[in-house]
């Protein structure tokens, strides 16, 4: 619903999906992932001998898909700081460029790009249910499940699964799988203390199998509070995860998962390059309030609440026919506020001039107020497929339906004399009104988004070693909305359809080696914010449009994968071509941040991803990942009546190379890990006249298993150091622009520059955690 600086979860819920969710909940399920064991050897007696070493790090679980795909498992996750969000946890994987504004992962001022493609191009699923914002396609990892409840995070860098309920996905797919409830009753308590007065508690209770029902469940609760690592303010988050599971004969499986998040996060301001050079990490909101101050930190605290419900189901209807469905419900509400000033006179509602407005606390006709940017979303849907095995063919077909509403308001609220907002949530009931009782709003709209899709695929086993996959997906996205501000615009409507064919081939060289290749198509429909007018001072400053074309991409991958007893590795070459490349950014209108989407024309990208996991001895694992990326714009960009000279320039937020190095040690008593990541230079403008240099981060951990010294029950004490070297860097681009400096267009006119803004890389933090199983 909002720009990247928003902390609002734009999840939604649809009443029409409730029945499907309850139906799935009644039977409970999801398909399970399986990884083959390495080929066993035999000694002279004929007994099976297991060679090699299991991976204690969990950074390269076995993969078998005909596409580039990496993952981290619980073995790795449990060694990391318990506060880290899903984006931070996958930072070592090939192509993953994570810009985090705070070490604990609590702020939504962060981003993830894959192969240079932003998080509005990356599909995110949790238990098979979509997590992306329905309006602007972003996902907010601070709202996802607690790390202790994650079984695996899988990152597909390029090709999204055909049956994934996501719009877009040229940048790949991030999938979170929750841990299953334990078969026996169990309790887990984690207590953490850390830098910046951080304190966190986590409690999980597993029911074990309940009587003769076959059902088992877990329920967890966490609570964290931490001061901002830079500037004034603090973050709070309380979170609940729950999962109910049933499994029965022939692989049938059903589950219902619920995640509830309640947080109040500080927004870290994003400096321009000039701000950074002048103030560095001192570029912050004001610690103390004085009359008229719109930069006071309490005016930038963003509360939000959201709930995710996912109900996946897997049923074996016969020996050859299976049914898989995932139904989901989501809803969320929150505020991404900012400080501003209003005058009692000279106000407009859209294009309509208003009579004088009564403003609480006004002095000489001017008052400091809280600018509310609220979002209220409801979403629900279901995706289902039937799969038939017939000889050499594995044929699947399915449907996807998604319904969501997004209510977006930019209203104003009163601020007390001490700078505290009267209503930080921005509820309409307490917002400032016009003289005739209407809501004084800078933006006021409601959008209904209906997505319908169908897909069909055939996986053909041509020989015991060779298989071919063919598939087709059709997706229709309808935005139907209303602009409630007086002016030339009222109803808006945009209907987009895309045909998405794909193909893949996989060849098994032997029991350990695989070759694969694929060609995949993706699209991104224009987000809902491109449809609406924007007004400032009664004038039309942003014209809504339905002329922005769908982004469409064709990508190819060819790769090699080795799965061995002590070494696993993969390497993938990739190529993309985009038409109508869409890039989300922010523009400032009268102090309010407004979403905008730029059409960057055609783009070509190619490169190589690779990763190696080597286990030289029991309890030791070494991991290396890397990426080379060549991403270039193919067209000059239309700006006004001229062309900006962008042909051949590097794509924004697309570092030429990245390198990750990780390692883990665990001998059953002592354990530890390290994670080093280097990201090369990133450009922030289409003409490449401003960039940030490359930088490196280093995380370390050390711990001890105490069970043998206590009562035998798992008890761990660990110390995590985040950003050990404390690099003073800009970690990513928060808002791109076409050009930072005034630039001469192809037609000879001067195209005015605008400064991009950036994320400030987070500082060093240390956090200690005591974990105990009961």
């Amino acid at each position: 619903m909002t720009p990247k600086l928003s902390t609002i979860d734009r999840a939604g819920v649809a009443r029409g999906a409730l029945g499907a969710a309850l139906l799935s909940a009644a039977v409970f399920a999801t398909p399970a992932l399986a990884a083959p064991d390495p080929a066993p050897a035999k000694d002279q007696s004929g007994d099976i001998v297991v060679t090699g070493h299991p991976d204690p790090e969990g950074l390269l679980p076995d993969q078998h898909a005909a596409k580039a795909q990496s993952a981290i498992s619980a073995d790795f996750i449990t060694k990391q700081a318990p506060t880290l969000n899903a984006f931070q946890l996958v930072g070592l994987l090939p192509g993953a460029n994570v810009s985090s504004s705070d070490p604990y992962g609590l702020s939504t001022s962060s981003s993830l790009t894959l192969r240079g493609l932003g998080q509005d191009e990356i599909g995110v699923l949790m238990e098979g249910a979509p997590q992306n914002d329905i309006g602007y396609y972003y996902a907010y990892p601070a709202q996802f499940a607690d790390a202790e409840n994650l079984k695996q995070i899988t990152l597909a860098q390029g090709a999204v699964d055909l049956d994934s309920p996501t719009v877009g996905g040229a940048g790949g797919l991030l999938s979170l799988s929750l841990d299953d409830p334990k078969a026996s009753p169990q309790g887990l308590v984690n207590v953490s203390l850390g830098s910046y007065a951080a304190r966190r508690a986590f409690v999980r209770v597993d029911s074990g199998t309940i009587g003769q029902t076959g059902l088992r469940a877990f329920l967890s609760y966490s609570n964290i509070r931490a001061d901002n690592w830079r500037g004034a303010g603090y973050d709070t988050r309380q979170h609940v995860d729950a999962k109910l599971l049933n499994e029965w004969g022939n692989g049938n499986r059903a589950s219902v998962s619920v995640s509830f998040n309640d947080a109040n996060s500080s927004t870290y301001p994003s400096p321009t390059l000039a701000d950074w050079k002048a103030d560095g990490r001192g570029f912050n909101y004001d610690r103390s309030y004085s009359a008229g101050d719109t930069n006071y930190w309490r005016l930038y605290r963003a509360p939000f609440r959201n709930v995710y419900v996912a109900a996946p189901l897997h049923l074996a209807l016969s020996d050859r026919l299976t049914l898989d469905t995932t139904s989901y419900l989501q809803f969320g509400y929150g505020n991404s506020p900012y400080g501003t000033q209003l005058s009692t006179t000279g106000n407009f509602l859209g294009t309509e001039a208003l009579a004088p407005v009564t403003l609480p606390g006004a002095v000489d006709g001017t008052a400091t107020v809280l600018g509310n940017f609220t979002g209220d979303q409801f979403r629900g849907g279901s995706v289902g497929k039937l799969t038939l095995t017939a000889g050499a063919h594995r044929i699947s077909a399915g449907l996807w339906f998604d319904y969501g509403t997004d209510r977006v308001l930019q209203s104003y609220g009163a601020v007390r004399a001490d700078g505290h907002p009267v209503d930080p949530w921005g509820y309409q009931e307490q917002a400032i009104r016009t003289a005739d009782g209407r809501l004084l709003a800078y933006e006021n709209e409601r959008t209904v988004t209906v997505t319908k899709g169908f897909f069909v695929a055939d996986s053909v086993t041509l020989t015991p070693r060779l298989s071919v996959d063919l598939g087709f997906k059709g997706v229709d996205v309808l935005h139907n909305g209303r602009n409630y501000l007086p002016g030339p615009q009222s109803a808006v409507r945009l209907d987009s359809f895309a045909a998405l064919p794909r193909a893949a081939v996989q060849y098994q060289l032997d029991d350990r080696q695989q070759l694969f290749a694929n060609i995949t198509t993706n699209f991104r429909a224009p987000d809902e914010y491109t449809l609406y007018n924007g007004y400032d001072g009664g004038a039309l400053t942003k014209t809504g449009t339905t002329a922005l074309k769908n982004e469409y991409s064709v990508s190819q991958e060819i790769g090699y994968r080795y799965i061995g007893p002590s070494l696993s590795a993969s390497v993938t070459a990739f190529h993309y071509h985009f038409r109508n490349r869409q890039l989300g950014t922010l523009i400032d209108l009268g102090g309010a941040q407004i979403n905008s989407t730029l059409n960057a024309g055609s783009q070509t990208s190619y490169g190589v991803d690779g990763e190696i996991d080597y286990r030289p001895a029991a309890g030791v694992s070494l991991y290396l990942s890397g990426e080379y990326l060549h991403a270039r714009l193919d067209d000059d960009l239309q700006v006004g009546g001229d062309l900006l000279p962008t042909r051949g320039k590097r794509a924004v937020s697309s570092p030429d190379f990245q390198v990750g190095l990780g390692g883990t040690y665990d001998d059953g008593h002592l354990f530890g890990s390290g994670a080093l990541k280097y990201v090369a230079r990133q450009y922030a403008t289409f003409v490449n006249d401003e960039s940030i240099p490359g930088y490196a981060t280093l995380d370390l951990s050390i711990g001890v298993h105490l069970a043998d010294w206590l009562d035998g029950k798992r008890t761990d004490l660990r110390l995590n150091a985040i950003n050990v070297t404390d690099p003073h860097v800009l970690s990513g681009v928060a808002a791109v622009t076409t050009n930072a400096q005034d630039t001469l267009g192809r037609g000879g006119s001067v195209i005015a520059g605008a400064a991009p803004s950036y994320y400030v890389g987070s500082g060093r933090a240390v956090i200690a955690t005591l974990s105990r199983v009961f």
Side-chain angles (χ1 to χ4, degrees):
M1 104 177 213
T2 90
K4 284 190 272 188
L5 67 84
S6 169
T7 59
I8 301 171
D9 169 61
R10 269 108 35 197
V13 62
R15 297 183 185 89
L18 181 58
L22 293 177
L23 174 63
S24 185
V27 217
F28 303 118
T30 188
L33 296 173
D37 296 328
K42 293 186 178 181
D43 65 11
Q44 294 179 352
S45 67
D47 294 332
I48 293 176
V49 179
V50 178
T51 60
H53 306 290
D55 182 5
E57 185 175 23
L59 263 172
L60 194 55
D62 295 349
Q63 303 295 331
H64 298 275
K67 61 180 180 181
Q69 188 166 277
S70 305
I72 58 173
S73 67
D75 290 333
F76 173 77
I77 294 171
T78 55
K79 293 179 175 65
Q80 310 311 304
T83 65
L84 298 187
N85 63 48
F87 286 1
Q88 292 171 306
L89 288 170
V90 300
L92 270 184
L93 300 184
N97 176 17
V98 180
S99 302
S100 182
S101 292
D102 77 293
Y104 293 134
L106 299 173
S107 172
T108 57
S109 299
S110 62
S111 73
L112 168 68
T113 64
L114 288 176
R115 296 177 178 172
L117 302 174
Q119 64 196 67
D120 56 342
E121 300 268 11
I122 301 169
V124 180
L125 303 179
M126 187 163 67
E127 290 289 280
Q131 309 296 294
N132 299 74
D133 178 292
I134 196 172
Y136 204 51
Y137 307 138
Y138 276 80
Y140 300 90
Q143 301 169 359
F144 300 163
D146 282 324
E148 292 93 338
N149 296 323
L150 293 175
K151 176 172 61 178
Q152 188 172 85
I153 305 177
T154 303
L155 187 67
Q157 287 88 348
V160 174
D161 295 333
L162 191 68
D163 58 351
S164 294
T166 58
V167 175
L173 182 69
L174 182 71
S175 300
L176 286 72
S177 299
L178 293 183
D179 185 31
D180 286 342
K182 309 300 182 187
S184 300
Q186 179 177 291
L188 171 64
V189 176
N190 287 349
V191 178
S192 304
L193 295 174
S195 305
Y196 314 111
R199 52 185 185 269
R200 179 181 186 267
F202 171 89
V203 178
R204 169 171 158 166
V205 177
D206 285 75
S207 69
T209 303
I210 304 171
Q212 302 301 314
T213 65
L215 296 171
R216 60 186 196 266
F218 78 73
L219 175 67
S220 72
Y221 171 79
S222 69
N223 193 308
I224 184 173
R225 184 198 183 282
D227 290 343
N228 287 5
W229 75 271
R230 81 175 221 260
Y234 60 93
D235 295 326
T236 61
R237 176 184 185 263
Q238 56 180 342
H239 188 91
V240 175
D241 290 322
K243 185 173 182 178
L244 179 65
L245 171 68
N246 194 10
E247 296 176 299
W248 63 102
N250 202 24
N252 295 308
R253 176 183 168 96
S255 66
V256 171
S257 301
V258 179
S259 281
F260 168 76
N261 199 72
D262 185 341
N264 199 343
S265 304
S266 299
T267 301
Y268 290 95
S270 297
T272 65
L273 199 56
D275 294 328
W276 174 248
K277 290 178 179 178
D279 300 321
R281 290 179 169 181
F283 184 78
N284 297 309
Y285 296 119
D286 297 336
R287 185 174 297 274
S288 301
Y289 181 75
S290 57
D293 186 3
T294 60
N295 200 47
Y296 182 46
W297 69 271
R298 289 188 182 275
L299 303 180
Y300 295 86
R301 284 180 57 72
F304 59 90
R305 294 191 185 102
N306 57 277
V307 175
Y308 301 96
V309 180
L313 167 68
H314 175 78
L315 286 178
L317 302 178
S318 72
D319 291 342
R320 297 190 302 156
L321 184 65
T322 60
L323 170 68
D324 292 277
T325 69
T326 299
S327 301
Y328 52 89
L329 297 169
Q330 305 169 8
F331 63 89
Y333 177 86
N335 189 14
S336 248
Y338 57 93
T340 188
Q341 287 192 328
L342 287 180
S343 298
T344 56
T345 59
N347 294 300
F348 290 82
L349 199 61
T351 58
E352 178 187 332
L354 296 175
V357 176
T358 300
L359 298 177
V363 177
D364 297 330
T366 302
T368 299
V369 298
L370 186 73
N372 300 307
F373 196 107
T374 61
D376 190 352
Q377 279 202 359
F378 298 86
R379 186 181 189 184
S382 186
V383 58
K385 70 174 179 180
L386 287 168
T387 302
L388 174 68
T389 301
H393 296 266
R394 191 169 182 266
I395 303 167
S396 61
L399 299 172
W400 173 37
F401 177 80
D402 185 288
Y403 174 89
T405 62
D406 189 12
R407 185 75 167 91
V408 175
L409 272 171
Q410 286 207 57
S411 60
Y412 302 97
V415 173
R416 296 189 177 97
D418 60 1
H420 288 61
V422 170
D423 175 27
W425 286 89
Y427 292 123
Q428 293 188 41
E429 294 78 9
Q430 299 191 55
I432 295 171
R433 299 274 169 169
T434 65
D436 57 5
R438 290 177 293 171
L439 192 69
L440 181 62
Y442 191 87
E443 188 174 4
N444 190 346
E445 61 218 26
R446 181 180 184 271
T447 310
V448 174
T449 301
V450 179
T451 306
K452 294 174 286 187
F454 67 92
F455 52 89
V456 60
D458 187 10
S459 179
V460 187
T461 303
L462 299 178
T463 73
R465 294 185 180 273
L466 178 64
S467 63
V468 175
D469 298 336
L470 300 173
F472 179 86
K473 187 174 186 176
V475 181
D476 182 88
V477 179
L478 171 64
H479 293 309
N480 198 352
R482 180 174 179 82
N483 191 340
Y484 294 101
L485 294 181
Q489 183 186 62
S490 55
V492 300
R493 180 184 174 91
L494 177 63
D495 199 350
S496 303
F497 177 81
L500 305 171
R502 61 172 56 197
V505 60
Q506 186 172 24
Y507 184 75
Q508 196 79 24
L509 294 172
D510 54 35
D511 290 342
R512 303 194 186 282
Q513 300 181 86
Q514 308 161 24
L515 293 175
F516 63 86
N518 64 65
I519 180 168
T520 307
T521 55
N522 278 289
F523 93 115
R524 181 188 188 275
D527 60 68
E528 66 182 51
Y529 301 100
T530 62
L531 304 176
Y532 291 100
N533 286 349
Y535 306 101
D536 186 28
L540 178 66
T541 53
K542 170 182 170 288
T543 303
T545 179
T546 59
L548 193 64
K549 297 179 180 179
N550 289 341
E551 175 185 285
Y552 197 86
S553 66
V554 180
S555 64
Q556 303 89 28
E557 293 181 329
I558 182 168
Y560 166 82
R561 184 180 289 130
Y562 176 82
I563 302 172
S566 295
L567 185 143
S568 301
S570 70
V571 60
T572 305
F574 57 85
H575 177 274
Y576 294 85
H577 180 72
F578 291 88
R579 298 199 309 264
N580 302 305
R581 174 83 165 90
Q582 293 182 20
L583 286 170
T585 187
L586 305 176
I587 57 176
D588 190 291
L589 295 177
Q593 298 287 329
I594 300 297
N595 296 284
S596 182
T597 300
L598 304 173
N599 187 334
S602 176
Q603 177 180 319
T604 300
S605 304
Y606 59 82
V608 179
D609 286 334
E611 58 183 338
I612 300 173
D613 186 35
Y614 177 49
R615 302 172 291 279
V620 178
S621 177
L622 301 173
Y623 176 84
L624 175 68
S625 71
E627 177 181 85
Y628 167 72
L629 174 65
H630 178 100
R632 300 292 185 270
L633 302 179
D634 298 331
D635 297 324
D636 289 332
L637 182 66
Q638 182 82 34
V639 178
D642 206 343
L643 293 173
L644 195 66
T646 56
R647 188 186 313 119
K649 300 296 186 181
R650 289 180 171 87
V652 297
S653 301
S654 301
D656 285 348
F657 64 92
Q658 302 179 62
V659 178
L661 177 63
T664 293
Y665 174 79
D666 193 335
D667 64 6
H669 295 290
L670 296 176
F671 63 89
S673 70
L676 174 67
K677 184 66 179 278
Y678 175 78
V679 180
R681 177 180 299 275
Q682 300 178 66
Y683 285 90
T685 66
F686 293 174
V687 297
N688 294 170
D689 59 353
E690 191 167 298
S691 65
I692 57 175
Y695 69 95
T697 59
L698 175 63
D699 296 343
L700 298 173
S701 72
I702 188 170
V704 58
H705 299 296
L706 301 173
D708 290 347
W709 290 286
L710 298 174
D711 55 4
K713 294 184 178 180
R714 199 192 88 194
T715 307
D716 295 338
L717 176 64
R718 74 178 184 270
L719 187 70
N720 293 95
I722 307 166
N723 291 338
V724 174
T725 58
D726 196 24
H728 290 231
V729 297
L730 296 173
S731 62
V733 185
V736 303
T737 66
T738 55
N739 49 302
Q741 309 298 325
D742 292 351
T743 303
L744 192 65
R746 299 287 190 192
S749 66
V750 176
I751 300 173
S757 60
Y758 302 93
Y759 297 113
V760 176
S762 62
R764 177 172 49 233
V766 177
I767 187 167
T769 301
L770 179 63
S771 179
R772 169 73 170 172
V773 171
F774 296 94

